[in-house]
Amino acid sequence: MNAPCTSCTDALSGTAPDTSRAAWLAVGSIAVGTFAMVTTEFLPIGLLTDIGAGLQVSDGTAGLMVTMPGVLAAFAGPALIVASGRLDRRTVMVTLTAMLVASNLLAAFAPNFGTMLVARLLLGLCIGGFWTFAPSAATQLVASGSQARAMSLVLAGVSAATVLGVPAGALVGTLAGWRAAFGLTGALAAVVLAIQVWLLPAMPPARAIRPRDLLTPLTRRMAQVGLLAVLFLVAGHFAAYTYLKPLLQQVFGLDANGVTTLLLAYGAVGFFGTFVGGSLVARSVRAAALLAAVLLAAALLLSTVVGSGFLAGAAVVVTWGIAFGMIPVALTGWMMEAVPDAPEAGQALLVSGFQVAIASGALLGGLVVDGWGISSAMLLSGGLVLVAAVVVGGLGRAPGRLALSASAERS
């Protein structure tokens, strides 16, 4: 048997997780909270010029609304896991959701850009906190055999926000103004908050996480491999994903309708890929991570040789979307398997690794696009992802089935 996740068993004081409808509604509330968080994070992308004009700043300055939350999130995950100590994880999740409500409302009523940045920094704390605590909290709510599914449901909020949340927010912003978009997302977060207050059970941690505990993942071989894979895999993805729309326009020659269709398809198959990844993670986290890396590398490299037209673009986008849908759940499962005795510390470092890789990948991709063009950026991205595949396949000892909890074996 694999080593159990002590956070998931000890946190429940030896009691079996609730398998009732209320438990799945509680998991659903965390998933919808993730959906609201990601929607809030990317709202400014579709409304950047409107917000800039409304708050009387340039588009370049307005771009700080996107970069600053990500930078803060990289530090927030480790900091919050230490600051939370032995605080009940129910209290932590409810507080994070309340902060998400506050961030949206503050943004909706921001009188100036300084206030907007305060709202976005508050969001950065939410991002770091959600990714650190949400997967572990979700797995504590259900029985052992359903934990991979619960984690997939929470992480599917990312894809759902891409498919529905971000386009819907942009539409609301166009019809009723950007303040209404933040207000609507804040209202959704408030509903989630009410449900969490109602349904989330007490989830005390087994022990407080100390600063030195954050070094624990760095001493475990599988965690080291996972973090190294994250840097190459996520950096490779975002070096290319940042320029997906120009790729569809310039390389595949698609018009506005074709681009919109494939962007929606990307989000939809990403949602599907999350659950495929969850199913694979329940069997082997190594196989899930390796398949995601291979599919992503194939999509990126094929984009440079497959030709032009809608069908060629669709083949690349569908493969790409499925691969990236698998990545968060595969890497989250990897870290929980690699550090079963300190899963939240593992997730905190995973959050930091993701944010560093996102920023590095986007910067590197921009330099290559400006210097050598979009196809060169795709080749670079594909190469980085192939390195991640080699890391996972060559250095990653197969951990086997994801052992998120030993509660079933104990019962």
Side-chain angles (χ1 to χ4, degrees):
M1 297 299 294
N2 294 306
C5 171
T6 56
S7 171
C8 301
T9 54
D10 294 343
L12 293 173
S13 303
T15 60
D18 187 2
T19 57
S20 67
R21 180 179 299 180
W24 281 105
L25 287 174
V27 172
S29 73
I30 297 176
V32 178
T34 303
F35 170 88
M37 180 198 69
V38 174
T39 299
T40 303
E41 181 179 6
F42 293 118
L43 267 183
I45 293 178
L47 301 171
L48 193 71
T49 55
D50 296 328
I51 297 173
L55 298 179
Q56 299 179 340
V57 296
S58 68
D59 289 347
T61 300
L64 291 173
M65 293 184 294
V66 179
T67 57
M68 288 185 67
V71 172
L72 183 57
F75 299 96
L80 289 174
I81 193 66
V82 173
S84 64
R86 293 187 61 85
L87 192 64
D88 193 306
R89 291 332 187 210
R90 176 187 186 275
T91 301
V92 172
M93 291 305 304
V94 167
T95 301
L96 289 170
T97 305
M99 290 169 59
L100 181 60
V101 175
S103 172
N104 275 284
L105 294 181
L106 190 60
F109 293 101
N112 51 54
F113 191 66
T115 305
M116 174 61 80
L117 288 185
V118 171
R120 300 300 289 177
L121 288 173
L122 188 60
L123 176 67
L125 293 176
C126 295
I127 294 170
F130 260 94
W131 290 131
T132 298
F133 295 104
S136 178
T139 59
Q140 293 182 44
L141 295 169
V142 297
S144 175
S146 300
Q147 289 173 340
R149 179 185 170 197
M151 187 171 67
S152 297
L153 183 63
V154 169
L155 296 177
V158 178
S159 297
T162 303
V163 178
L164 300 174
V166 175
L171 178 62
V172 171
T174 300
L175 297 177
W178 61 268
R179 295 183 185 275
F182 282 105
L184 186 61
T185 309
L188 174 62
V191 173
V192 171
L193 176 61
I195 294 174
Q196 289 180 349
V197 170
W198 176 34
L199 290 178
L200 286 183
M203 294 182 286
R207 61 181 178 85
I209 301 295
R210 296 161 295 184
R212 67 172 178 266
D213 291 329
L214 294 175
L215 299 177
T216 298
L218 300 179
T219 66
R220 307 288 176 84
R221 180 176 178 274
M222 285 308 300
Q224 294 169 354
V225 172
L227 291 172
L228 185 62
V230 164
L231 293 177
F232 284 103
L233 187 57
V234 177
H237 167 75
F238 277 93
Y241 177 66
T242 307
Y243 304 97
L244 177 56
K245 184 175 180 179
L247 174 73
L248 296 176
Q249 293 172 325
Q250 299 175 26
V251 175
F252 293 105
L254 302 184
D255 59 17
N257 289 334
V259 170
T260 299
T261 299
L262 289 188
L263 289 178
L264 289 172
Y266 177 91
V269 297
F271 186 80
F272 171 74
T274 299
F275 289 97
V276 172
S279 178
L280 291 175
V281 160
R283 295 169 175 80
S284 169
V285 294
R286 180 172 178 266
L290 184 59
L291 179 59
V294 169
L295 285 177
L296 181 55
L300 294 171
L301 296 175
L302 281 175
S303 71
T304 65
V305 299
V306 76
S308 61
F310 183 84
L311 291 180
V316 168
V317 166
V318 168
T319 305
W320 191 342
I322 291 175
F324 188 69
M326 296 172 60
I327 288 172
V329 66
L331 295 178
T332 297
W334 183 290
M335 291 301 291
M336 295 184 77
E337 186 84 20
V339 198
D341 54 330
E344 290 178 340
Q347 293 309 305
L349 291 186
L350 184 65
V351 170
S352 297
F354 254 89
Q355 296 300 327
V356 169
I358 288 171
S360 303
L363 176 62
L364 184 59
L367 294 174
V368 174
V369 167
D370 287 344
W372 295 279
I374 290 178
S375 292
S376 295
M378 298 301 123
L379 286 173
L380 171 68
S381 299
L384 291 172
V385 175
L386 280 178
V387 172
V390 171
V391 168
V392 171
L395 301 179
R397 174 180 54 83
R401 177 180 61 86
L402 178 61
L404 290 174
S405 173
S407 59
E409 288 84 348
R410 290 185 175 184
S411 60

